[in-house]
Coordinates of all heavy atoms in Angstrom, one line a residue:
K386 N 7.7 -10.4 -4.2 CA 8.3 -10.7 -5.4 C 7.4 -11.0 -6.6 O 7.7 -10.9 -7.7 CB 9.2 -12.0 -5.1 CG 10.2 -11.9 -4.1 CD 11.3 -11.0 -4.4 CE 12.4 -10.9 -3.4 NZ 13.5 -10.0 -3.7
N387 N 6.1 -11.3 -6.2 CA 5.3 -11.7 -7.3 C 4.9 -10.5 -8.3 O 4.4 -10.8 -9.4 CB 3.9 -12.3 -6.8 CG 3.2 -11.4 -5.9 OD1 3.5 -10.2 -5.8 ND2 2.2 -11.8 -5.2
Q388 N 5.3 -9.3 -7.9 CA 5.0 -8.2 -8.8 C 6.1 -8.2 -9.9 O 5.8 -7.6 -11.0 CB 5.2 -6.9 -8.0 CG 4.0 -6.7 -7.0 CD 2.6 -6.7 -7.7 OE1 2.4 -6.3 -8.8 NE2 1.7 -6.9 -6.8
K389 N 7.1 -9.0 -9.8 CA 8.1 -9.1 -10.9 C 7.5 -9.6 -12.2 O 7.8 -9.2 -13.2 CB 9.3 -9.9 -10.6 CG 10.3 -9.3 -9.5 CD 11.3 -10.2 -9.0 CE 12.3 -10.6 -10.2 NZ 13.4 -11.5 -9.6
N390 N 6.6 -10.6 -12.1 CA 6.0 -11.2 -13.2 C 5.1 -10.2 -14.0 O 5.1 -10.2 -15.2 CB 5.2 -12.4 -12.9 CG 6.1 -13.6 -12.3 OD1 7.3 -13.7 -12.8 ND2 5.6 -14.4 -11.3
T391 N 4.4 -9.5 -13.2 CA 3.5 -8.5 -13.7 C 4.4 -7.5 -14.5 O 4.0 -6.9 -15.6 CB 2.7 -7.7 -12.6 OG1 2.0 -8.7 -11.9 CG2 1.7 -6.7 -13.2
Y392 N 5.4 -7.0 -13.9 CA 6.3 -6.0 -14.5 C 6.9 -6.5 -15.8 O 6.9 -5.7 -16.8 CB 7.4 -5.7 -13.4 CG 8.5 -4.7 -13.8 CD1 8.2 -3.4 -13.7 CD2 9.6 -5.1 -14.4 CE1 9.2 -2.4 -14.0 CE2 10.7 -4.2 -14.8 CZ 10.4 -2.8 -14.5 OH 11.3 -2.0 -14.9
R393 N 7.4 -7.7 -15.7 CA 8.0 -8.3 -16.9 C 7.0 -8.4 -18.1 O 7.3 -8.1 -19.3 CB 8.6 -9.7 -16.6 CG 9.2 -10.4 -17.9 CD 9.9 -11.7 -17.4 NE 8.9 -12.6 -16.9 CZ 9.3 -13.7 -16.3 NH1 10.6 -14.1 -16.2 NH2 8.4 -14.5 -15.7
H394 N 5.9 -8.8 -17.8 CA 4.8 -9.0 -18.9 C 4.5 -7.6 -19.5 O 4.5 -7.5 -20.8 CB 3.4 -9.5 -18.2 CG 2.4 -9.5 -19.3 ND1 2.4 -10.6 -20.2 CD2 1.3 -8.7 -19.5 CE1 1.2 -10.2 -21.0 NE2 0.6 -9.2 -20.6
W395 N 4.5 -6.5 -18.7 CA 4.2 -5.2 -19.3 C 5.5 -4.7 -20.1 O 5.2 -4.2 -21.1 CB 3.8 -4.3 -18.2 CG 3.4 -3.0 -18.7 CD1 2.2 -2.6 -19.3 CD2 4.2 -1.7 -18.8 NE1 2.1 -1.3 -19.6 CE2 3.3 -0.8 -19.4 CE3 5.5 -1.3 -18.4 CZ2 3.8 0.6 -19.5 CZ3 5.8 0.0 -18.5 CH2 5.1 0.9 -19.1
M396 N 6.6 -4.9 -19.6 CA 7.8 -4.4 -20.2 C 8.1 -5.2 -21.5 O 8.6 -4.7 -22.5 CB 9.1 -4.6 -19.3 CG 8.9 -3.7 -18.1 SD 9.0 -1.9 -18.4 CE 10.8 -1.7 -18.6
D397 N 7.8 -6.6 -21.5 CA 7.9 -7.3 -22.8 C 7.0 -6.9 -23.8 O 7.2 -7.1 -25.1 CB 7.8 -8.8 -22.4 CG 8.9 -9.4 -21.7 OD1 10.0 -8.8 -21.8 OD2 8.8 -10.5 -21.2
N398 N 5.9 -6.3 -23.5 CA 4.8 -5.9 -24.4 C 4.6 -4.4 -24.4 O 3.5 -3.8 -24.7 CB 3.5 -6.5 -24.1 CG 3.6 -8.0 -24.2 OD1 3.5 -8.6 -25.3 ND2 3.8 -8.7 -23.1
I399 N 5.7 -3.6 -24.1 CA 5.6 -2.2 -24.0 C 5.2 -1.5 -25.2 O 5.7 -1.9 -26.3 CB 6.9 -1.6 -23.4 CG1 6.7 -0.3 -22.8 CG2 8.0 -1.7 -24.5 CD1 7.8 0.2 -21.8
R400 N 4.4 -0.4 -25.0 CA 4.0 0.4 -26.2 C 4.5 1.8 -26.0 O 4.8 2.2 -24.9 CB 2.5 0.4 -26.3 CG 1.9 -0.9 -26.8 CD 0.4 -0.9 -26.9 NE -0.2 -0.9 -25.5 CZ -1.5 -1.1 -25.4 NH1 -2.4 -1.2 -26.5 NH2 -2.0 -1.1 -24.2
D401 N 4.7 2.5 -27.1 CA 5.1 3.9 -27.0 C 4.2 4.8 -26.2 O 3.0 4.4 -26.2 CB 5.3 4.5 -28.4 CG 6.4 3.8 -29.2 OD1 7.2 3.2 -28.5 OD2 6.6 4.1 -30.4
W402 N 4.7 5.7 -25.6 CA 4.0 6.5 -24.5 C 3.6 7.9 -25.2 O 4.4 8.7 -25.6 CB 5.0 6.7 -23.4 CG 4.4 7.6 -22.2 CD1 3.1 8.1 -22.0 CD2 5.2 8.1 -21.2 NE1 3.1 8.8 -20.9 CE2 4.4 8.9 -20.4 CE3 6.7 8.2 -20.9 CZ2 4.8 9.6 -19.2 CZ3 7.1 8.8 -19.8 CH2 6.2 9.5 -19.0
C403 N 2.3 8.1 -25.2 CA 1.8 9.3 -25.7 C 1.9 10.3 -24.5 O 1.3 10.2 -23.6 CB 0.3 9.2 -26.2 SG -0.4 10.8 -26.6
I404 N 2.7 11.4 -24.8 CA 3.1 12.3 -23.6 C 2.4 13.7 -23.8 O 2.7 14.6 -22.9 CB 4.6 12.5 -23.5 CG1 5.2 12.9 -24.7 CG2 5.3 11.1 -23.0 CD1 6.7 13.3 -24.6
S405 N 1.7 13.9 -24.9 CA 1.1 15.3 -25.1 C -0.3 15.1 -24.6 O -1.0 14.3 -24.8 CB 1.2 15.7 -26.5 OG 0.8 14.6 -27.4
R406 N -0.8 16.3 -24.1 CA -2.1 16.5 -23.5 C -2.7 17.9 -23.9 O -2.0 18.9 -23.9 CB -2.1 16.5 -21.9 CG -1.7 15.1 -21.4 CD -2.7 14.0 -21.7 NE -2.2 12.8 -21.1 CZ -1.4 11.9 -21.7 NH1 -0.9 12.0 -23.0 NH2 -1.1 10.7 -21.0
Q407 N -4.0 17.8 -24.3 CA -4.7 19.0 -24.8 C -5.2 19.8 -23.6 O -6.3 20.0 -23.5 CB -5.8 18.6 -25.8 CG -5.1 18.1 -27.1 CD -4.4 16.7 -27.0 OE1 -4.9 15.9 -26.3 NE2 -3.1 16.7 -27.4
L408 N -4.2 20.4 -22.8 CA -4.6 21.1 -21.7 C -3.8 22.4 -21.6 O -2.8 22.6 -22.5 CB -4.4 20.3 -20.3 CG -5.1 18.9 -20.3 CD1 -4.5 18.1 -19.2 CD2 -6.6 19.2 -20.0
W409 N -4.1 23.2 -20.6 CA -3.3 24.4 -20.5 C -2.4 24.3 -19.2 O -1.3 24.9 -19.1 CB -4.1 25.7 -20.4 CG -4.6 26.1 -21.7 CD1 -4.3 25.5 -22.9 CD2 -5.7 27.1 -21.9 NE1 -5.1 26.1 -23.9 CE2 -5.8 27.1 -23.3 CE3 -6.4 27.9 -21.2 CZ2 -6.7 28.0 -23.9 CZ3 -7.3 28.7 -21.7 CH2 -7.6 28.8 -23.1
W410 N -2.8 23.6 -18.2 CA -2.1 23.3 -16.9 C -1.2 22.3 -17.1 O -1.4 21.1 -17.1 CB -3.1 23.2 -15.8 CG -2.4 23.0 -14.5 CD1 -2.5 21.9 -13.7 CD2 -1.8 23.9 -13.6 NE1 -1.9 22.0 -12.5 CE2 -1.4 23.4 -12.5 CE3 -1.4 25.3 -13.9 CZ2 -0.7 24.0 -11.4 CZ3 -0.7 26.0 -12.8 CH2 -0.3 25.3 -11.7
G411 N 0.1 22.7 -17.0 CA 1.2 21.7 -17.1 C 2.4 22.4 -17.9 O 2.3 23.5 -18.3
Q412 N 3.5 21.6 -18.0 CA 4.6 22.1 -18.7 C 4.3 22.1 -20.2 O 4.1 21.1 -20.8 CB 5.8 21.3 -18.4 CG 6.5 21.5 -17.1 CD 6.0 20.5 -16.1 OE1 5.3 19.7 -16.3 NE2 6.6 20.7 -14.7
R413 N 4.3 23.3 -20.8 CA 4.0 23.3 -22.2 C 5.2 22.8 -23.0 O 6.4 23.0 -22.8 CB 3.9 24.8 -22.6 CG 3.2 25.1 -24.0 CD 2.8 26.5 -24.2 NE 2.3 26.6 -25.6 CZ 1.9 27.8 -26.1 NH1 1.9 29.0 -25.2 NH2 1.4 28.0 -27.2
I414 N 4.9 22.0 -24.0 CA 5.8 21.3 -24.8 C 6.8 22.3 -25.5 O 6.3 23.2 -26.2 CB 5.2 20.4 -25.9 CG1 4.4 19.2 -25.2 CG2 6.1 19.9 -26.9 CD1 3.7 18.2 -26.1
P415 N 8.1 22.0 -25.3 CA 9.1 23.0 -25.9 C 9.4 22.8 -27.4 O 10.6 22.6 -27.7 CB 10.3 22.8 -24.9 CG 10.3 21.3 -24.6 CD 8.8 21.1 -24.5
A416 N 8.3 22.7 -28.2 CA 8.5 22.5 -29.6 C 8.0 23.7 -30.3 O 6.8 24.3 -30.0 CB 7.7 21.3 -30.1

Side-chain angles (χ1 to χ4, degrees):
K386 301 293 186 185
N387 60 12
Q388 293 296 338
K389 287 173 66 174
N390 294 328
T391 306
Y392 180 87
R393 179 175 57 191
H394 175 76
W395 188 77
M396 295 292 278
D397 284 343
N398 298 278
I399 197 166
R400 290 179 285 187
D401 288 350
W402 176 16
C403 177
I404 58 170
S405 46
R406 296 293 182 269
Q407 290 63 54
L408 301 165
W409 286 350
W410 178 245
Q412 283 96 358
R413 193 169 177 180
I414 290 176

